[in-house]
Amino acid sequence: MNGTPQCVSLTTDYGLADGFVAACHGVLARLAPAVRVIDVTHLIPPADVRRGAAVLAQTVPYLPWGVHVAVVDPGVGTTRRGIALAAPGGLLVGPDNGLLIPAAEALGGVVAAVELTNPAWLGPVVSRTFHGRDVFAPVAARLALGAPVAEAGPAVDPGTLVRLPEPVVHAADGVLRAEVLTVDHFGNVQLAAPGPLLDGLPSRVLVNGHEAVHGRTFGDAPQGVLVVYVDSAAQVAVAVNTGRAADTLNTAPGDLVTITTP
């Protein structure tokens, strides 16, 4: 661990049309007014835990050492646990639904986990449907002030934490088939395949039957043409130079994309 956290980050599917984000900021400001808060995003598609997990995992390595709160929580108010995880690179707070695990692994792996049951760490009233405000933000504030994770509640065996299913990735005989992990704001399609799986492919490939350039950046393809490349998260991705690959391929997260040689 690196001492007192330097920030609290927030990643949610709350959107920006309501007061949910402001309420979480307000709880943090009341309990830990000097702590810096970084909004990663509040535009995760509603209930899209896999998208939230991917965004969080690909962002936290670039944030200061701190407490990372993530709330994409369709199971709020059910028997799913609220948890805090300690990793060498930071602390994570949120629901036990697989959302936090990839980020914890990106920060060095889970070294301790607790269930958030200490009533002294929670809001004075805990709503059944707004744990971001009443559970996760108060816990994050106390952790940001230097309180030990162990005081938030009883220890949890890391082996019992919920994990998301492994995405489909298969590479053999010049064919790469992988699940779409995310589609970003620009329509770029990120696959669950690590970048080195592109090694050895020729300069021209087919993506779901569409002709594409195997390049290093968008401008390696003519305007309007697909390009297959390794993105900033070291994942295989597909883009269109000045276009939207997700529209060209008519694909969405969870779909399979196949890259072959012509």
Side-chain angles (χ1 to χ4, degrees), residues 185-220:
H185 171 72
F186 300 100
N188 301 326
V189 175
Q190 183 187 71
L191 305 185
L197 290 183
L198 286 183
D199 293 349
L201 289 183
S203 60
R204 298 284 175 173
V205 294
L206 298 175
V207 182
N208 286 0
H210 296 266
E211 292 187 357
V213 173
H214 174 198
R216 295 176 299 174
T217 189
F218 315 116
D220 288 342

Side-chain angles (χ1 to χ4, degrees), residues 1-18:
M1 298 301 175
N2 295 329
T4 303
Q6 301 170 39
C7 73
V8 172
S9 78
L10 296 173
T11 303
T12 78
D13 61 352
Y14 287 160
L16 300 175
D18 303 292

Side-chain angles (χ1 to χ4, degrees), residues 75-135:
V76 63
T78 68
T79 57
R80 74 97 184 93
R81 297 179 291 196
I83 54 172
L85 307 179
L91 306 171
L92 298 116
V93 175
D96 181 20
N97 62 3
L99 177 66
L100 305 180
I101 298 297
E105 292 173 346
L107 294 174
V110 177
V111 297
V114 300
E115 184 174 3
L116 307 179
T117 59
N118 182 351
W121 279 49
L122 310 182
V125 177
V126 176
S127 162
R128 290 189 177 91
T129 59
F130 197 179
H131 287 186
R133 178 193 66 192
D134 301 333
V135 177

Side-chain angles (χ1 to χ4, degrees), residues 5 20 41 44 47 53 71 91 100 123 125-126 134 143 148-150 156 182 184 200 203 210 232 239 241 256:
F20 304 134
T41 182
I44 299 297
V71 193
L91 306 171
L100 305 180
V125 177
V126 176
D134 301 333
L143 292 174
V149 174
V156 170
T182 68
D184 70 15
S203 60
H210 296 266
S232 61
N241 187 5
L256 291 180

